[in-house]
Amino acid sequence: MDLTAIAKTVAQALAALAIIVVLACLSLGLADGLRRPEAIREAVRAAIASQSFGDREGIERIGQHRLSHFSECIGLSTAIAPAAANPITFTLQSPALLWQPPRSICDSLREQLAGTEQPHFAYSRYWHGYRLVTEPFLSFFSYRSLQLWGGAFLILCAFLVLAPFLPPVIRGTASLARIATLVAVTALGLVMTDLPISGLTPTHMVSLSVLLLCWAVALRKQGPMELLRFAPWAFAMGAIYNFFDFLYNPDLLAYVLGWTFLLRAVLAEQRPLGVSLVQAILLQGVVIAGYIAMWAAKWVLVVVAGRIFGEQTSVPSQDFARWFGGGDGVYRPLQSLYELLLESATMPLGWWPIAACLLAGLALFSVALRRGQAAAMLGVLVLTFLPLLVLELKANHSIQHAPFTFRLIPFALVLSLAGAAAMLGRSAPITTLAPGHAGRVQS
């Protein structure tokens, strides 16, 4: 173990975090300073009147699937707030309208827009980086334009993820199996997620776009996919994603980056499966560490700013129990996984795509057993363990926001199949042990 290399990697990751925190504060402060609250009010009023802002409950329904505007209403309640006396604490605390169940935050937003003043509270538990897009855009354009342009950008980001796989297809050198796998993955990904319609909820469009951009960067990363070389990138991606995300999909980001690392290490660089799998899981942990580190930095800044300016602040420790419990506040193992499977089945085709993935997985596993390649296929499946653990740790939050947090399930189903097919389709043997060890190879 090279302690010097590890120390250098940690130093690079922390330096990246410091730069990201500074840029996050400056960019949010700039967006808040340039926003035009009255123009944003008019844009949102028009969106509500034209029904491009969900139904009366602030929800878009695509079949049985629900796209809630909860985070939109939170962010917009900050965007329409009058200019603050202290712009620094305003940016860090992100004051949002206070709501009390059974009334929703969208009810409070509508009442505020109608002229009934509502109380605010410091919603500083998140970074709210999506405001870099929503505040400037809605200061000059309509909410419907934001949905359309945001949806188009999200599709572009999805294309950037697919782009590295396309050259062999374009040149005509790809095998029929490769083309079929690419088509199947794309089709299932569209059918089993709400990606094509996420532009209707701009905060989640921003979050998903950043996730896909991070994935696209990982897919195009030059040089060997070595853990210590890629770890600072993964840590930085986790931190950047925390800036834009609402605790919805950190598990998904960790999963796709781990998946990319494993397949490239084993298939393109022909490194041993066992070592590569351990490193891929460690890399997933690095992504989550970057996500949490960025979160902690926000809380430190909020507390420090409160003390400097004499404003009462608090770290939202009360949220931990609420996030970690189950749907009714009592943790039950795998309950969140079950709820997210149910949410995945609310897509237009229901349970059929999930059943098709499971059947295809069984078929691939039977082929792997006959060829003696079961370890390679199981290695891809093991990549879901750490993301599922993260899902369990934020079980209550995952259940409460299942229409958004469910995305790990379809992505894991589809990418596990794609990864297994790629492992089985490899003509060269896949070693299970590190060089220098006597052992079997997967032929």
Side-chain angles (χ1 to χ4, degrees), residues 300-331:
V300 169
L301 288 173
V302 169
V303 172
V304 170
R307 291 180 178 177
I308 291 175
F309 297 106
E311 297 184 15
Q312 185 176 3
T313 58
S314 63
V315 175
S317 57
Q318 73 275 10
D319 289 323
F320 290 133
R322 185 168 55 84
W323 286 336
F324 295 168
D328 53 2
V330 178
Y331 174 70

Side-chain angles (χ1 to χ4, degrees), residues 41 73-74 76-78 80-82 94-101 103-113 115-123:
R41 283 173 180 260
C73 295
I74 285 282
L76 292 171
S77 71
T78 302
I80 66 174
S94 302
L97 292 172
L98 183 64
W99 77 99
Q100 294 293 335
R103 295 171 66 254
S104 70
I105 176 61
C106 293
D107 292 330
S108 295
L109 178 64
R110 286 190 181 91
E111 292 176 12
Q112 181 80 6
L113 292 171
T116 304
E117 289 298 320
Q118 306 291 312
H120 284 71
F121 75 107
Y123 200 53

Side-chain angles (χ1 to χ4, degrees), residues 213-294:
L213 286 174
C214 289
W215 190 10
V217 169
L219 288 167
R220 291 181 173 275
K221 186 75 170 65
Q222 300 300 311
M225 190 68 86
E226 296 175 355
L227 178 60
L228 290 182
R229 290 182 62 178
F230 192 60
W233 287 81
F235 187 87
M237 289 178 185
I240 291 170
Y241 191 56
N242 177 265
F243 180 60
F244 293 97
D245 186 52
F246 262 95
L247 190 59
Y248 289 132
N249 297 123
D251 36 53
L252 177 55
L253 178 64
Y255 175 73
V256 297
L257 294 186
W259 182 90
T260 301
F261 182 96
L262 177 67
L263 266 66
R264 180 167 170 180
V266 174
L267 299 182
E269 300 171 13
Q270 301 184 30
R271 283 190 270 149
L273 174 66
V275 173
S276 299
L277 178 59
V278 171
Q279 291 181 342
I281 294 172
L282 289 174
L283 187 75
Q284 291 178 330
V286 169
V287 175
I288 300 301
Y291 192 95
I292 294 174
M294 185 68 174

